Amino acid sequence: MRSDIIKKGFDKAPHRSLLRATGLKDEDFDKPFIGVANSYIDIIPGHFFLHEYGEIVKEAIREAGGVPFVFNTIGVDDGIAMGHEGMLYSLPSREIIADSIETVMNAHQLDAMICIPNCDKIVPGMIMGALRVNVPTIFVSGGPMAAGHKKDGTPIDLATAFEAVGKHAEGKMTDEELLEIECEACPSGGSCSGMFTANSMNTLCEAMGIALPGNGTILAMTPERIELVKAAARRVVEMAKAEDPRFKMKNILNEKAIHNAFVVDMAMGGSSNTVLHLLAIARESDINYKIENINKIADKVAHITKISPSKSDVHMDDVNRAGGVNAVMCEVAKRTGLLNLDSLMITGETLAQRIDGCEILDEDIIHTNENAYSQVGGLSILFGNLALEGAVVKTAGITGNMKQFKGTAICFNSQQEALAGIMSHKVKAGNVVIIRYEGPKGGPGMQEMLAPTSLIMGMGLGESVALVTDGRFSGATRGASIGHVSPEAAEGGLIAFVEDGDEIELDTDKHLLQLNVDEATLAQRRAAWKPYKNEVKSKWLKRYSLLVTNASQGAILKTEL
């Protein structure tokens, strides 16, 4: 076992002495040592109960014949960090989480790992760290929260609360109505109930084979979830004892698994953030995945589920009742060649074996391919002079006729400027809101833009205004919201040279994002360019800005200058 290096031989007497101080006995030194990476933190609704899951995992590991060692990672709640400088730390936290996983697991040479994430950057951060360690690893998330409900029974969630702010600002909602939504939108522990970033990543863990069925859809804090947690703990001990190289993380999460994740992402209309994270995960797995491949997948995959925010009355619990991610994959697999069915799952079965016999239990929630919402996937990568290296849009969340749109630019050099401009009615129907210098390097940290997109929707402009940014969006964002523009403004991308009144063209069917300004004019603007710089006091964010790549490369940190 890998852990023998810290527990076997006469020269490891000091090491064993320290381990005995933690409670280990003679018999424990012949058992596999299992790292339990927990993301328990009190301030995040999806995480405040995870210490209880950690205790359940420890007990199950001991019963299965392993020795558990729990350690924690940090976590940022994107919803709470939204709309102020706290959001600058969200994406960078992914790197801290990956580094902490690598540090603890490799410093102590543990044999296998079970990861307990749930929200936002924590899932991909743990995956990236696990790939570096490359031992058998299984993921079991905290699970989604239930949808909230208004007094009249209308289902609501966090997206409802953000959009309600825009309605209230326009005088379309009373104080009492806003308070009701505030109090009822998030009724329990768990990751926010729609197909936002957390639940998108947790479902894709199933598609990639690193989690058990139900990981993305079984509600948090339920008996069913507890059984899933126990099963995952038992399985990680089995893998550790088997010492089978097939179950090393990079052998499970390979190029076929990344492909399967993008296929399922398209079918379910996941968060645009999944593109950012899957590109970063691919690079950690030594896969040079090209962003343009995503459109090749999207053009073949039918979009068969609409979940909040794309469809406000459908949430993860509904998907679970309708058959879960397995039912989605089973339906997708009916179109030959879309999924790599021979991909190995962490359970030892192939993907084909996992979904054999699965079926859709409610076709109002999970549609068939023939009755799909769209015959193309729910995400699109746009290219053009405004996004030479790509930009991302969640087509599943676009309302009205905004998939093809020409509008005049109104430019802001920060999210705060944009929020003030939208609230003061500077943004009108027919505008394309440009929010720049918010990319990974320029922000720094690539802020999510849920606040401005929610204001646009709440103020009734969702079918007449588009938004383009080198920042990114929450999974709760909907509308014609184009993010991840690369190159970003801070590195001299064309988005830096857009001026108020310029015509911008968007066509998601043609994967186009174009600034319709002649080259001579653009050359003059480039010559006169003075980069806008956000004031950054944080030493960590300054280091991050120096090392981070743009979104088309997954916003990973450089390891060589």
Side-chain angles (χ1 to χ4, degrees):
M1 288 185 284
R2 191 171 102 125
S3 62
D4 285 351
I5 199 169
I6 67 167
K7 65 185 182 184
K8 294 290 185 177
F10 76 91
D11 58 325
K12 297 305 186 295
H15 304 65
R16 289 191 296 273
S17 182
L18 290 167
L19 289 166
R20 289 179 192 277
T22 70
L24 267 62
K25 308 297 182 186
D26 287 345
E27 59 270 21
D28 292 324
F29 294 108
D30 291 322
K31 299 174 182 178
F33 283 9
I34 312 294
V36 181
N38 201 337
S39 55
Y40 157 70
I41 182 172
D42 280 338
I43 200 168
I44 305 179
H47 293 247
F48 73 89
F49 55 91
L50 293 186
H51 63 295
E52 299 174 14
Y53 283 17
E55 291 302 315
I56 293 167
V57 165
K58 284 173 64 175
E59 183 178 353
I61 288 173
R62 289 192 185 102
E63 289 177 353
V67 181
F69 295 97
V70 176
F71 63 97
N72 271 78
T73 65
I74 65 165
V76 172
D77 187 298
D78 283 14
I80 297 172
M82 198 79 64
H84 57 89
E85 68 175 354
M87 181 49 69
L88 298 175
Y89 292 89
S90 174
L91 184 59
S93 75
R94 187 186 72 180
E95 310 309 310
I96 297 174
I97 291 164
D99 289 348
S100 66
I101 294 280
E102 177 188 355
T103 298
V104 174
M105 290 295 296
N106 283 348
H108 304 102
Q109 293 292 294
L110 305 181
D111 298 302
M113 178 167 56
I114 179 168
C115 290
I116 312 175
N118 213 18
C119 296
D120 301 312
K121 310 308 137 321
I122 299 160
V123 182
M126 284 189 167
I127 294 173
M128 291 163 66
L131 284 165
R132 296 179 197 171
V133 177
N134 198 28
V135 297
T137 303
I138 193 165
F139 279 69
V140 59
S141 75
M145 69 170 63
H149 291 85
K150 294 170 68 175
K151 292 176 182 176
D152 63 4
T154 302
I156 58 174
D157 53 41
L158 184 64
T160 315
F162 270 97
E163 291 183 13
V165 173
K167 292 179 181 179
H168 185 271
E170 285 292 281
K172 298 176 181 178
M173 180 175 288
T174 66
D175 291 346
E176 291 75 19
E177 290 171 323
L178 181 61
L179 180 62
E180 181 189 7
I181 291 172
E182 173 189 329
C183 294
E184 303 300 332
C186 299
S188 65
S191 49
C192 296
S193 54
M195 194 66 172
F196 310 151
T197 304
N199 291 329
S200 296
M201 290 304 303
N202 287 326
T203 57
L204 297 188
C205 285
E206 294 187 47
M208 291 185 287
I210 59 175
L212 300 178
N215 182 68
T217 58
I218 296 173
L219 286 185
M221 305 175 75
T222 60
E224 293 79 10
R225 195 81 203 178
I226 298 302
E227 288 306 310
L228 186 74
V229 170
K230 292 178 180 178
R234 291 191 293 267
R235 178 58 190 159
V236 76
V237 177
E238 290 172 357
M239 290 191 293
K241 288 182 174 180
E243 298 186 72
D244 188 335
R246 293 183 308 150
F247 296 122
K248 287 187 174 183
M249 188 69 171
K250 285 186 178 180
N251 291 337
I252 298 289
L253 212 169
N254 54 23
E255 190 164 2
K256 288 183 176 181
I258 294 290
H259 172 87
N260 286 346
F262 275 121
V263 170
V264 174
D265 204 10
M266 295 300 168
M268 298 188 72
S271 164
S272 58
N273 281 320
T274 57
V275 174
L276 188 74
H277 298 319
L278 287 174
L279 289 174
I281 288 165
R283 282 162 174 77
E284 289 288 359
S285 198
D286 303 320
I287 300 163
N288 185 23
Y289 197 91
K290 302 294 185 182
I291 192 171
E292 52 266 32
N293 290 347
I294 298 170
N295 284 338
K296 296 176 184 178
I297 295 172
D299 289 344
K300 298 176 183 177
V301 178
H303 176 210
I304 59 175
T305 64
K306 268 188 180 282
I307 309 160
S308 177
S310 300
K311 199 168 186 289
S312 62
D313 61 346
V314 177
H315 295 86
M316 299 310 295
D317 189 33
D318 299 308
V319 177
N320 192 60
R321 288 188 291 100
V325 179
N326 275 358
V328 172
M329 292 193 289
C330 188
E331 184 63 25
V332 170
K334 291 178 181 178
R335 292 190 172 183
T336 305
L338 289 181
L339 286 169
N340 293 307
L341 294 175
D342 60 345
S343 287
L344 182 65
M345 307 284 100
I346 208 74
T347 49
E349 62 194 340
T350 63
L351 177 57
Q353 291 170 324
R354 174 174 286 194
I355 64 175
D356 183 41
C358 296
E359 59 181 353
I360 300 171
L361 304 179
D362 186 342
E363 291 187 8
D364 289 334
I365 303 299
I366 302 173
H367 287 201
T368 62
N369 289 315
E370 293 72 24
N371 189 35
Y373 289 102
S374 169
Q375 290 302 318
V376 295
L379 292 169
S380 179
I381 309 301
L382 308 182
F383 294 96
N385 65 353
L386 196 52
L388 292 175
E389 296 176 18
V392 182
V393 61
K394 184 175 179 175
T395 53
I398 295 178
T399 55
N401 298 314
M402 295 293 290
K403 290 186 177 181
Q404 291 81 36
F405 183 73
K406 286 184 180 180
T408 55
I410 180 167
C411 302
F412 304 98
N413 287 334
S414 70
Q415 180 178 197
Q416 292 303 321
E417 278 188 19
L419 288 170
I422 296 167
M423 291 285 280
S424 62
H425 298 93
K426 287 183 180 178
V427 175
K428 310 289 185 184
N431 279 155
V432 177
V433 176
I434 301 290
I435 306 179
R436 58 197 174 195
Y437 297 103
E438 291 288 11
K441 183 177 293 292
M446 203 180 184
Q447 293 196 66
E448 287 188 347
M449 304 289 172
L450 180 56
T453 58
S454 296
L455 281 177
I456 288 168
M457 295 301 297
M459 295 169 77
L461 297 171
E463 297 186 13
S464 59
V465 168
L467 191 152
V468 175
T469 181
D470 52 10
R472 60 194 177 89
F473 301 109
S474 165
T477 285
R478 63 190 180 108
S481 303
I482 298 95
H484 306 202
V485 169
S486 299
E488 62 174 291
E491 58 180 339
L494 192 61
I495 190 172
F497 309 116
V498 181
E499 293 186 0
D500 288 354
D502 288 349
E503 183 182 81
I504 293 175
E505 183 177 357
L506 159 70
D507 191 324
T508 61
D509 292 339
K510 295 180 180 178
H511 307 299
L512 178 69
L513 182 62
Q514 187 78 10
L515 174 64
N516 293 328
V517 174
D518 65 86
E519 279 301 319
T521 301
L522 292 176
Q524 291 176 347
R525 293 179 186 178
R526 285 191 181 96
W529 180 50
K530 293 182 179 180
Y532 175 88
K533 289 191 176 181
N534 286 307
E535 291 186 14
V536 180
K537 296 179 181 179
S538 164
K539 292 181 180 180
W540 158 227
L541 293 180
K542 285 180 179 178
R543 291 199 308 274
Y544 181 84
S545 182
L546 289 171
L547 294 173
V548 72
T549 60
N550 69 33
S552 70
Q553 300 174 61
I556 59 173
L557 297 185
K558 299 174 186 175
T559 53
E560 297 179 5
L561 296 177

